[in-house]
């Protein structure tokens, strides 16, 4: 047990130690200050700016920034859809996989341009190398960079600056942050044993019978894996994601992946502190989120270490819950990975979340309901400070002061936008399609588990889509028959038309409506005159206010979804404790 806790502690210490260095570097990048990569990247970026027509680097309003995101994402989406539907005759297809069904291609397209990477297919049997690299891998960079751009535009607006230019922010996010780290990280993963090849599957005779052959899938995995984690994309090259030995072969590769997925969202809080010239507040907010994150890790890890009471009764001893887990990671690293991937909205998995004890189900769902621990790529940081704006408003009402944040008054427009983002959009994107699916369990849902767990499966699917996370509880009939299965005449599963199309609603609503709202909120804050600091000004860089913010997060965020948690993992926990499960 002690070894597992030490592993978790060391991983988190590495993340905390990297935060100020990485946060300071990102601040320099987005403030266009000198960095060590300038001699290499300045000429390259000038060419790129000229190609996309932003040589003047003009600043954008909130609506202009949002329109630029929507237009570019539409073009990128059409590109992905074309590649997926054309993979049968495109090169880099050693296993001759045909085109996917139109609804799976549509869901995959929307999933990847929204930085969600929810997968209703098995990568090694459904997609060619061309689709994985040109279609999905490329958009792992652009969707992650889009989220980063939104996050930094929100920070600029919050601190009284103009929002900047989306295309400039997009390019700099890729060239100066994502790409350099991915080059180093990809090499490190290759050294750890992750393959990177364009060769087809390897065919070997089986150990049981030398006359029977087995095909072992491989491919250009290492570069795909590092941007999957760093960009908080989460989509796996293989069906079982980071539980696959070719995606995540050992403890070293697992450490790289956990640190990669946590590095940007944690460092962005420090970047905000530098933009606001208030690193004290940044560390207070960092500590608040870090405490909630640590509590969630402890809750999940204790549940997995103590195991299933029903199984322990049969064994006559207490054993960790290793169902659905890789023994090379064990209960501790599986719990850390699960909390981190749902907290950062990465969505990669090194174990099956469906097999976790109710503790883990409660935490993973709560992470996706709150979206700020540590939150999605860029957008999670913006969500976090939207909560701070609500906390300022609530505190101002309690003490009878005009609510102000960073010297700018919080008025009706800002409160309406923040409330709309946090209290309305996310629940609507989850509850409406989930309610329809649960009303027709046989016709639409395809639930494989009855009762509380089956309910949680459905809610998890839409929470994952709306939060741009992408992980799944699984156990749902959400996968179409693969082209390879159809070609070989293998037995196929039921169609996934409902899941593909209904999840698209949650994906789009959970991504673009909040982005537009966040940019409008930032634009509104950037246009406000700064009021002088007085003795009556409510300070937001104190422990007391940070505690109030935590309370607002738990009351407004967690209680919104408490009935769902009660019918899902909480009910399941009582069910198991009663000896029924």
């Amino acid at each position: 047990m002690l070894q597992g806790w030490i592993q978790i502690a060391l991983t988190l210490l590495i993340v905390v130690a990297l935060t100020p260095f990485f946060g300071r570097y990102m601040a320099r990048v987005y403030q266009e200050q000198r960095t060590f990569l300038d001699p290499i990247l300045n000429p390259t970026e000038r060419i790129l700016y000229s190609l996309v027509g932003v040589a003047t680097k003009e600043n954008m309003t909130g609506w202009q920034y949002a329109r630029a995101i929507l237009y570019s994402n539409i073009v990128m989406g059409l590109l992905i859809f074309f590649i997926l539907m054309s993979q049968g005759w495109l090169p880099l297809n050693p296993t001759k996989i045909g085109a996917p069904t139109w609804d799976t291609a549509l869901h995959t397209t929307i999933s990847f341009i929204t930085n969600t990477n929810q997968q209703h297919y098995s990568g090694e049997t459904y997609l060619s190398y061309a689709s994985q690299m040109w279609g999905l891998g490329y958009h792992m960079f652009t969707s992650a960079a889009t989220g980063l751009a939104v996050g930094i535009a929100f920070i600029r607006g919050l601190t009284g600056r103009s929002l900047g230019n989306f295309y400039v922010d997009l390019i700099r996010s890729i060239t100066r942050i994502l790409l350099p780290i991915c080059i180093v990280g990809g090499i490190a993963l290759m050294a750890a044993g992750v393959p990177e090849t364009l060769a087809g599957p390897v065919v070997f005779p089986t150990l049981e019978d030398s006359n029977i052959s087995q095909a072992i899938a491989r491919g250009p995995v290492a570069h795909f894996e590092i941007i999957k984690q760093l960009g908080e994309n989460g989509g796996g090259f293989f069906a079982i994601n980071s539980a696959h030995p070719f995606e995540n072969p050992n403890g070293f590769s697992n450490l790289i992946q956990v640190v990669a997925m946590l590095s940007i969202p944690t460092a962005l809080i420090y970047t905000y502190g530098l933009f606001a010239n208030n690193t004290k507040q940044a560390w207070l907010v960092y500590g608040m989120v870090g405490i909630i994150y640590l509590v969630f890790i402890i809750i999940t890890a204790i549940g997995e270490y103590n195991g299933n009471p029903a199984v322990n009764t049969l064994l006559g001893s207490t054993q960790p819950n290793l169902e659905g887990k890789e023994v090379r990671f064990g209960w501790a690293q599986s719990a850390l990975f699960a909390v981190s991937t749902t907290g950062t909205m990465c969505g990669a998995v090194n174990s099956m979340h469906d097999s976790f004890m109710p503790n883990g189900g409660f935490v993973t769902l709560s992470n996706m309901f709150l979206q700020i621990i540590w939150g999605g790529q860029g957008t999670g940081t913006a969500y976090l400070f939207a909560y701070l704006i609500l906390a300022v408003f609530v505190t101002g009402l309690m003490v009878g002061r005009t609510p102000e944040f960073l010297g700018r008054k919080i008025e009706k427009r800002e409160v309406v936008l923040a409330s709309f983002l946090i209290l309305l959009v996310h629940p609507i994107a989850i509850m409406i399609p989930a309610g329809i699916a649960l009303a027709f369990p046989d016709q639409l849902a395809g639930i494989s588990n009855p009762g509380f767990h089956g309910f949680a499966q459905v809610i998890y699917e839409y929470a994952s889509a709306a939060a741009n996370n992408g992980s799944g509880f699984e156990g749902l009939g959400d996968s179409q028959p693969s082209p390879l299965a159809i070609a070989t005449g293998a037995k196929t599963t039921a169609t996934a038309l409902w899941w593909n199309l209904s999840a698209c609603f949650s994906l789009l609503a959970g991504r673009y409506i909040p982005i537009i709202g966040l940019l409008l909120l930032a634009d509104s804050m950037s246009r406000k005159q700064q009021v002088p600091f007085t003795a009556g000004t409510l300070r937001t860089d104190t422990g007391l206010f940070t505690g109030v913010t935590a309370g607002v997060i738990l009351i407004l965020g967690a209680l919104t979804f408490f009935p769902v948690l009660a019918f899902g993992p909480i009910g399941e926990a009582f069910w198991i404790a009663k000896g029924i499960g």
Side-chain angles (χ1 to χ4, degrees):
M1 179 181 181
L2 181 61
Q3 182 183 19
W5 291 113
I6 291 174
Q7 291 173 354
I8 292 173
L10 289 176
T11 303
L12 299 183
L13 285 174
I14 292 172
V15 172
V16 174
L18 287 174
T19 293
F21 299 102
F22 195 20
R24 191 174 295 111
Y25 172 73
M26 286 197 292
R28 295 187 68 84
V29 166
Y30 291 117
Q31 290 175 335
E32 300 195 22
Q33 298 174 354
R34 181 172 178 79
T35 67
F36 68 97
L37 292 174
D38 283 358
I40 301 172
L41 295 179
N42 278 344
T44 305
E45 288 177 352
R46 281 195 292 269
I47 295 173
L48 292 174
Y49 296 149
S50 299
L51 290 175
V52 297
V54 292
T56 58
K57 299 184 182 180
E58 66 275 9
N59 289 314
M60 293 179 171
T61 65
W63 275 116
Q64 289 173 331
Y65 209 101
R67 284 199 298 269
I69 291 173
L70 294 175
Y71 294 157
S72 63
N73 279 217
I74 288 171
V75 173
M76 291 187 287
L78 292 173
L79 176 61
I80 297 181
F81 190 80
F82 172 77
I83 292 173
L84 293 177
M85 297 304 294
S86 306
Q87 72 175 10
W89 52 267
L90 288 175
L92 298 177
N93 189 0
T95 51
K96 308 301 179 186
I97 300 175
T101 59
W102 70 269
D103 55 301
T104 299
L106 178 65
H107 173 268
T108 303
T109 296
I110 294 175
S111 181
F112 274 78
I113 63 171
T114 57
N115 198 228
T116 308
N117 296 26
Q118 191 177 52
Q119 294 173 289
H120 290 170
Y121 62 87
S122 298
E124 62 266 49
T125 61
Y126 213 95
L127 298 181
S128 66
Y129 292 170
S131 293
Q132 297 266 44
M133 291 192 301
W134 301 342
L136 306 187
Y138 160 70
H139 289 89
M140 284 183 171
F141 280 93
T142 55
S143 65
T146 298
L148 263 174
V150 171
I152 210 66
F154 187 85
I155 289 174
R156 288 193 189 113
L158 208 60
T159 54
R161 297 171 172 85
S162 60
L163 270 59
N165 186 292
F166 167 68
Y167 299 107
V168 173
D169 292 335
L170 181 77
I171 290 171
R172 292 178 74 85
S173 296
I174 294 173
T175 58
R176 295 175 181 267
I177 295 174
L178 298 176
L179 191 58
I181 298 175
C182 283
I183 292 173
V184 176
I187 294 171
L189 287 177
M190 283 191 286
V194 179
E196 180 74 20
T197 178
L198 294 178
V202 180
V203 179
F204 284 109
T206 64
L207 294 175
E208 292 83 0
D209 189 341
S210 60
N211 295 318
I212 301 176
S213 297
Q214 178 183 9
I216 300 176
R218 54 181 176 170
V221 184
H223 85 278
F224 192 93
E225 190 69 19
I226 187 62
I227 185 57
K228 178 187 90 174
Q229 304 293 357
L230 181 68
E232 296 175 36
N233 294 282
F237 194 93
F238 300 101
I240 59 173
N241 212 284
S242 290
H244 196 288
F246 284 177
E247 286 200 35
N248 193 5
N250 49 51
F252 176 62
S253 63
N254 194 71
L255 175 65
I256 292 174
Q257 293 187 27
V258 173
V259 172
M261 78 170 80
L262 288 168
S263 58
I264 290 179
T266 53
L268 263 179
I269 297 176
Y270 191 83
T271 299
Y272 157 80
L274 295 175
F275 267 83
N277 294 316
N278 193 342
T279 54
K280 176 186 176 183
Q281 185 184 39
W283 279 119
L284 284 169
V285 173
Y286 189 99
M288 176 194 69
V289 178
I291 290 172
I292 300 174
Y293 171 64
L294 185 60
V295 170
F296 278 178
I297 291 173
I298 293 171
I299 291 172
T300 305
I302 288 176
E304 298 312 301
Y305 179 77
N306 289 333
N308 191 322
V311 175
N312 291 339
T313 300
L314 293 175
L315 296 175
S317 62
T318 300
Q319 295 294 329
N321 173 35
L322 294 180
E323 179 193 0
K325 297 177 181 62
E326 292 296 309
V327 293
R328 65 184 185 276
F329 304 133
W331 62 271
Q333 288 300 313
S334 296
L336 174 63
F337 203 103
V339 179
S340 300
T341 195
T342 52
T344 60
M345 304 306 138
C346 175
V349 295
N350 75 348
S351 58
M352 297 300 102
H353 293 182
D354 188 52
S355 66
F356 273 61
M357 297 302 295
N359 304 43
F362 174 87
V363 166
T364 52
L365 278 169
S366 296
N367 272 336
M368 293 186 293
F369 292 155
L370 294 176
Q371 299 190 87
I372 52 92
I373 309 166
W374 299 87
Q377 186 86 321
T379 56
T381 307
Y383 261 112
L384 176 59
F385 285 97
Y387 269 114
L388 258 73
I389 288 174
L390 287 179
V392 168
F393 176 70
V394 171
T395 307
L397 289 178
M398 289 191 295
V399 300
R401 294 177 182 173
T402 301
E404 299 172 8
F405 187 72
L406 298 181
R408 291 167 181 82
K409 290 184 178 181
I410 306 299
E411 298 174 302
K412 178 182 176 181
R413 177 179 172 82
E414 291 75 43
V415 174
V416 169
L417 282 170
S419 301
F420 175 71
L421 292 173
I422 292 170
L423 301 179
L424 286 179
V425 175
H426 197 49
I428 287 172
I430 296 171
M431 297 305 184
I432 290 178
I436 297 172
L438 290 166
F440 301 95
D442 297 327
Q443 296 87 345
L444 298 178
I447 302 171
S448 62
N449 286 282
F452 300 109
H453 196 79
F455 178 85
Q457 283 180 330
V458 174
I459 296 297
Y460 194 106
E461 182 77 1
Y462 292 113
S464 175
N468 303 139
N469 180 266
S471 64
F473 247 31
E474 305 309 333
L476 299 172
D478 58 8
S479 298
Q480 292 278 17
S482 72
L484 192 61
I486 295 172
T488 58
K491 184 178 180 180
T492 59
T493 60
T495 63
L497 182 65
W498 162 256
W499 287 110
N500 283 332
L501 298 185
S502 63
C504 285
F505 165 77
S506 299
L507 290 166
L508 292 169
R511 176 69 166 182
Y512 294 111
I513 296 176
I515 279 179
I516 294 171
L518 289 169
L519 290 171
L520 293 179
L521 177 56
D523 193 27
S524 178
M525 292 293 290
S526 70
R527 297 174 186 275
K528 290 181 177 293
Q529 293 292 326
Q530 191 165 12
V531 296
F533 183 87
T534 67
T537 301
L538 175 67
R539 296 190 62 91
T540 59
D541 57 354
T542 65
L544 177 60
F545 178 78
T546 306
V548 171
T549 303
V552 169
I553 290 171
L554 294 176
I555 292 171
L556 297 184
L559 292 185
T560 301
F561 291 97
F562 184 77
V564 174
L565 294 170
F567 279 108
I570 294 176
E572 186 182 8
F574 282 105
W575 191 61
I576 291 174
K578 199 173 180 180
I580 303 174

